[in-house]
Amino acid sequence: MTTLVLVRHGLTAMTGPVLAGWTPGVHLDERGIKQAEALAARLAPVPFAALVSSPLERCQDTAALILAAGHGGELSTDERFAECRYGTWTGRSLKELAKEPMWKVVQTHPSAAVFPEGEALAAVQSRAVAAVRDWDARLTASHGEDAIWLACSHGDVIKAIVADALGMHLDLFQRITAEPCSATVIRYTSLRPFVVKLNDTGGDVGALLTPSRKRKRRRVSSDAAVGGGG
């Protein structure tokens, strides 16, 4: 089983005040480019078996900068990692949307949220988790259990994947945060996933590296450390 590094795209002019959704042509702004370059430098030592991205421009921009930081191969695109289709909510300000009756549903009962002329959040989680499992199986078969791969996606998509990894109901996923250009790391094993890092914006990634062959490797276990481990 593999280790997944989930990266949220960097800042854009729409990030924060506006629900960008599938608005076309939304690229990283200067802040987002600097964020992505800093993350790319931090992740440079990690040997990714694959880099996968949402098809939306802001994710493609972010993933391309990470790829350019020394990671070989090609950037793959998987629409299952794309943003939720927010329908008629797309392009509207969050301040305005907070007055909509469905806003409370999104906040307190997201598993029941279906955006007008758009997608259900439950469907977003289903497709994203299916993508993770597909890529995990594929890369385990081709690169082995030590494979590390990266998927560049969007806030709600990442939160939905993390909720699944934590065994949380989707209705609790608003408790999770995924900031722009944050890295969230999930190690998948035969028994359970382990959330190794969550919403990390500056930590060391050395723990992701495979130990030197001169040292005896410890077999990765599916067991959780009783007492928390050291």
Side-chain angles (χ1 to χ4, degrees):
M1 310 295 278
T2 63
T3 297
L4 167 62
V5 179
L6 283 165
V7 168
R8 185 183 172 193
H9 63 82
L11 285 167
T12 75
M14 298 181 77
T15 307
V18 178
L19 190 63
W22 278 70
T23 302
V26 180
H27 289 272
L28 299 183
D29 61 16
E30 290 185 9
R31 301 168 302 163
I33 291 172
K34 288 180 180 178
Q35 285 180 321
E37 288 175 340
L39 178 60
R42 192 154 61 92
L43 293 176
V46 183
F48 290 120
L51 276 81
V52 188
S53 175
S54 155
L56 299 179
E57 292 92 342
R58 53 198 186 272
C59 284
Q60 293 280 318
D61 291 348
T62 303
L65 287 168
I66 294 172
L67 187 67
H71 297 289
E74 298 179 353
L75 177 62
S76 300
T77 298
D78 191 328
E79 191 165 306
R80 293 175 295 179
F81 288 115
E83 180 65 284
C84 175
R85 293 185 182 274
Y86 292 114
T88 59
W89 280 35
T90 302
R92 296 173 62 189
S93 72
L94 296 181
K95 186 176 181 180
E96 177 187 357
L97 291 172
K99 300 175 184 177
E100 294 280 351
M102 202 181 79
W103 181 266
K104 189 172 183 180
V105 178
V106 174
Q107 295 298 316
T108 62
H109 194 22
S111 66
V114 181
F115 294 95
E117 300 180 25
E119 193 174 14
L121 280 173
V124 173
Q125 183 183 50
S126 178
R127 62 167 163 82
V129 170
V132 169
R133 290 174 179 166
D134 286 350
W135 280 95
D136 176 75
R138 187 187 316 175
L139 293 171
T140 298
S142 62
H143 289 76
E145 294 183 347
D146 291 332
I148 306 170
W149 61 288
L150 181 146
C152 187
S153 190
H154 307 264
D156 281 349
V157 182
I158 292 171
K159 288 162 58 178
I161 293 170
V162 172
D164 172 79
L166 291 173
M168 291 171 54
H169 196 282
L170 185 60
D171 285 346
L172 302 178
F173 98 136
Q174 298 293 22
R175 301 182 182 196
I176 300 165
T177 298
E179 297 177 12
C181 262
S182 62
T184 291
V185 180
I186 304 172
R187 188 175 77 245
Y188 288 87
T189 75
S190 58
L191 185 60
R192 62 169 66 87
F194 291 90
V195 178
V196 179
K197 288 181 180 289
L198 180 62
N199 192 39
D200 185 280
T201 56
D204 178 35
V205 297
L208 294 175
L209 303 179
T210 303
S212 168
R213 293 187 181 278
K214 293 181 181 179
R215 292 162 47 196
K216 186 177 180 181
R217 283 199 62 231
R218 185 180 63 182
R219 189 175 183 276
V220 175
S221 173
S222 296
D223 293 337
V226 178

